[in-house]
Amino acid sequence: MLAIEQTDPEDPRSLTWAEAPTPRPTTGEVLVKVAATAVNRADLLQAAGHYPPPAGESAILGLECGGVIAEVPADGSAGDWAVGEEVLCLLAGGGYAEYAAVPAGQLMRPPAGLPMTEAVSLVEVACTVWSNLVMTAGLRAGETVLIHGGAGGIGTFAIQLCRALGATVATTAGGPAKVARCRELGADIAIDYREEDFAEVLADHGGADVILDIIGAKYLDRNIRALAPDGRLVIIGMQGGVKGELNIARLLAKRGSVTATGLRYRDRADKARIVAATAAGAWPLVESGAIRPSVHRVMDIREAAAAHDLLDSGEVSGKLVLTIGGA
Amino acid sequence: MLAIEQTDPEDPRSLTWAEAPTPRPTTGEVLVKVAATAVNRADLLQAAGHYPPPAGESAILGLECGGVIAEVPADGSAGDWAVGEEVLCLLAGGGYAEYAAVPAGQLMRPPAGLPMTEAVSLVEVACTVWSNLVMTAGLRAGETVLIHGGAGGIGTFAIQLCRALGATVATTAGGPAKVARCRELGADIAIDYREEDFAEVLADHGGADVILDIIGAKYLDRNIRALAPDGRLVIIGMQGGVKGELNIARLLAKRGSVTATGLRYRDRADKARIVAATAAGAWPLVESGAIRPSVHRVMDIREAAAAHDLLDSGEVSGKLVLTIGGA
Ligand SMILES: NC(=O)c1ccc[n+]([C@@H]2O[C@H](COP(=O)([O-])OP(=O)(O)OC[C@H]3O[C@@H](n4cnc5c(N)ncnc54)[C@H](OP(=O)(O)O)[C@@H]3O)[C@@H](O)[C@H]2O)c1
Ligand SMILES: NC(=O)c1ccc[n+]([C@@H]2O[C@H](COP(=O)([O-])OP(=O)(O)OC[C@H]3O[C@@H](n4cnc5c(N)ncnc54)[C@H](OP(=O)(O)O)[C@@H]3O)[C@@H](O)[C@H]2O)c1
């Protein structure tokens, strides 16, 4: 098959479309012919040498894909999935390729009515946001949620999901255009973090019951300040550093919690649980139109390096999708 | 009535048994004639000026008591409780006195078969440990729990409860005598923190799924190191300081959480929920003998200052009970 190969480990942009061995599905896996994949910040980190795939998983980039099942195991270990079915796939790696071997628990039927180039853009963000906000933080209707980076891939999905779940949505973004985009998506409170201190804005609104954070250390103290009593901070990214000072007395006074999670290194049983819950909970909201995919641009897989450049530029609002074989 | 009065706000030991106004129960409260109370570290902090009672609550020391209902509201707002019933009470303050006004939701029927001097010693520790380990951390049978300060009031109860719930129990204590006490109470792994690094010991055992911490900042990083994947750290005390460095990457790699909670400032509805769950979950384990009260000494309420000195000395293992009217 063809797949993206990084020809120079020192050069994160040396991404070429080249011959690679077709993956061999093992027990419980199906082979998927990939029609489209999408770019995640994790792919940029992996290409830069900072985010190795979990042991035993594909070393090829790509954490999500959509396509058609090309092969199912003869021993029935992948359940009812059949050759020819359209699927979306949550991957530990291997999406930037013509074929991917995918554990059956990480397959989803796509929400009805979307082209594959839009549906594929939802996989990683939906599983991340659903698992963190609904399953981990237990966000409930009527609560206030603060979503950092509201104009990003995660953020655009999270704003719409939280609205659909009946939460009051506050969000941060950099600059007026991104702030406007967050408002369009349904944010009740959209904060330009270049102009305002989000902790003060949230304090004026009684605090956030739940915060979804992608910044880490730099925001830790302000996030604790922004929490409401019994508030839950969930950290999924560390764009602002790894080590931060935690004021335990402030956290205790609010009976608050800080959780940090990652999707990629979970075991397959855990991923299957998340994938099933996400498809059951989020896809109906996509089908009803309450959540729309935010695709910034669709590019060809051969332009992977340019797509990584573009995401790195900070000019992207939403997801970059890569098609394979001109899907 | 008579109650402990702190005659000099500058002197935490100026505790005298003196005339005070008998409290007037308001809607939903009963009046309890107090037979016994017990000393908490929070009482020492309050006497030292560091831990004020919540707004509207009694300024008298004492976070738990046991006694007999002396008066119920005529409007039925305290439910089915009747004059003459023996009760245990979780208090926001006011236990060091002949009478206390207690919200009905904070009353419990004592576990059968214990003298009041033992039963009273369970209230604050049981509500604290049950709410944090069972309700907040969701401790399950088969998990490993680390309890800091295993020989203290909280610790002696927590070790026994966790054993009864089917967890593997690790604990820390200072010196061989306290370590031996923890083993007697059922700890599987008892660590003398003066001799060993608990984080290393726990790492050798696969990590702690749940940690109950009373030290705070000084232990924050080691606690994160000691966590197992998906581990939950619950901080209820800050004897080792308030501000600590949180390594978010380390927390994320484990998908861990840090929660800090306090019982005293919760609202009454929350306390009622905890009190009901604790009585339903923990009292049967006391009645079966799986959990025994750890009373270090029973003293007269007139010796309150001496009792505070004794708790401060670090020589206490378990609870100090104070009787009122020679119960
Ligand atoms: N743990 C997990 O399982 C998991 C899963 C998926 C993603 N992630 C992480 O989540 C983060 C977001 O992912 P993504 O796919 O949404 O990436 P993305 O589309 O590149 O969005 C990142 C966003 O971060 C925002 N940002 C940068 N500095 C900011 C600041 N100081 N305050 C607020 N926002 C700021 C940028 O918005 P502005 O231009 O408005 O600043 C940008 O929209 C990444 O760090 C990613 O690695 C984690
Ligand atoms: N947040 C809440 O709702 C809540 C409720 C109740 C209690 N608390 C807090 O929980 C803590 C314990 O309460 P308690 O009633 O059990 O008090 P306690 O009976 O005085 O016990 C405190 C224990 O701390 C231990 N300790 C001191 N330094 C230690 C260290 N470096 N490592 C391990 N243990 C250490 C002491 O044991 P060694 O002699 O073995 O060191 C002692 O047994 C207090 O800080 C209290 O304020 C909080």
Side-chain angles (χ1 to χ4, degrees), chain A residues 216-218 220 230 235-238 241-263 265-267 270, chain B residues 216-218 220 230 235-238 241-263 265-267 270:
Chain A
K218 201 175 104 187
L220 182 59
D230 298 297
I235 304 176
I236 63 166
M238 296 173 289
V242 161
K243 291 182 182 175
E245 187 180 86
L246 180 67
N247 185 325
I248 300 169
R250 184 170 290 140
L251 190 66
L252 194 145
K254 297 183 172 185
R255 293 183 301 272
S257 72
V258 182
T259 307
T261 79
L263 193 48
Y265 296 98
R266 289 181 186 269
D267 65 26
D270 224 8
Chain B
K218 201 174 104 187
L220 182 59
D230 298 298
I235 305 176
I236 63 166
M238 296 173 289
V242 161
K243 291 183 184 175
E245 186 179 86
L246 180 66
N247 185 324
I248 300 170
R250 184 169 290 140
L251 190 66
L252 194 145
K254 296 183 173 186
R255 295 184 300 273
S257 71
V258 181
T259 307
T261 79
L263 193 48
Y265 297 98
R266 288 181 186 269
D267 64 27
D270 225 7

Side-chain angles (χ1 to χ4, degrees), chain B residues 20 52 74 95 107 111 164-165 202 204 232 279:
Chain B
L107 299 172
L165 294 176
L202 265 291
D204 289 345
R232 295 139 266 156

Side-chain angles (χ1 to χ4, degrees), chain A residues 252, chain B residues 39-42 45 51 63 124-125 128-129 131-132 147-156 172-175 178-179 182 193-194 198 213-215 218-219 235-240 260-264 266 311-312 314-319:
Chain A
L252 194 145
Chain B
V39 185
N40 281 282
R41 220 145 255 280
L45 289 172
Y51 195 60
L63 297 177
E124 173 75 19
V125 295
T128 299
V129 172
S131 61
N132 283 293
I147 295 154
H148 286 299
I154 294 284
T156 50
T172 56
K178 288 193 174 181
V179 164
C182 293
Y193 63 81
R194 297 178 191 161
F198 70 84
D213 178 60
I214 58 173
I215 303 299
K218 201 174 104 187
Y219 275 9
I235 305 176
I236 63 166
M238 296 173 289
Q239 298 183 43
T261 79
L263 193 48
R264 192 177 194 186
R266 288 181 186 269
L311 188 65
D312 234 2
E315 300 301 310
V316 174
S317 172
K319 295 281 291 189

Side-chain angles (χ1 to χ4, degrees), chain A residues 172-249:
Chain A
T172 57
K178 288 192 174 182
V179 164
R181 175 84 185 111
C182 293
R183 289 230 170 77
E184 263 171 47
L185 290 168
D188 301 286
I189 305 161
I191 302 159
D192 184 346
Y193 63 80
R194 297 179 190 159
E195 304 290 335
E196 284 186 288
D197 177 349
F198 70 85
E200 283 173 19
V201 176
L202 266 291
D204 289 345
H205 285 84
D209 300 296
V210 173
I211 301 177
L212 185 65
D213 177 59
I214 58 172
I215 303 298
K218 201 175 104 187
Y219 276 9
L220 182 59
D221 191 59
R222 271 179 282 169
N223 277 331
I224 306 288
R225 286 176 198 271
L227 281 182
D230 298 297
R232 295 139 268 158
L233 165 61
V234 185
I235 304 176
I236 63 166
M238 296 173 289
Q239 298 182 44
V242 161
K243 291 182 182 175
E245 187 180 86
L246 180 67
N247 185 325
I248 300 169

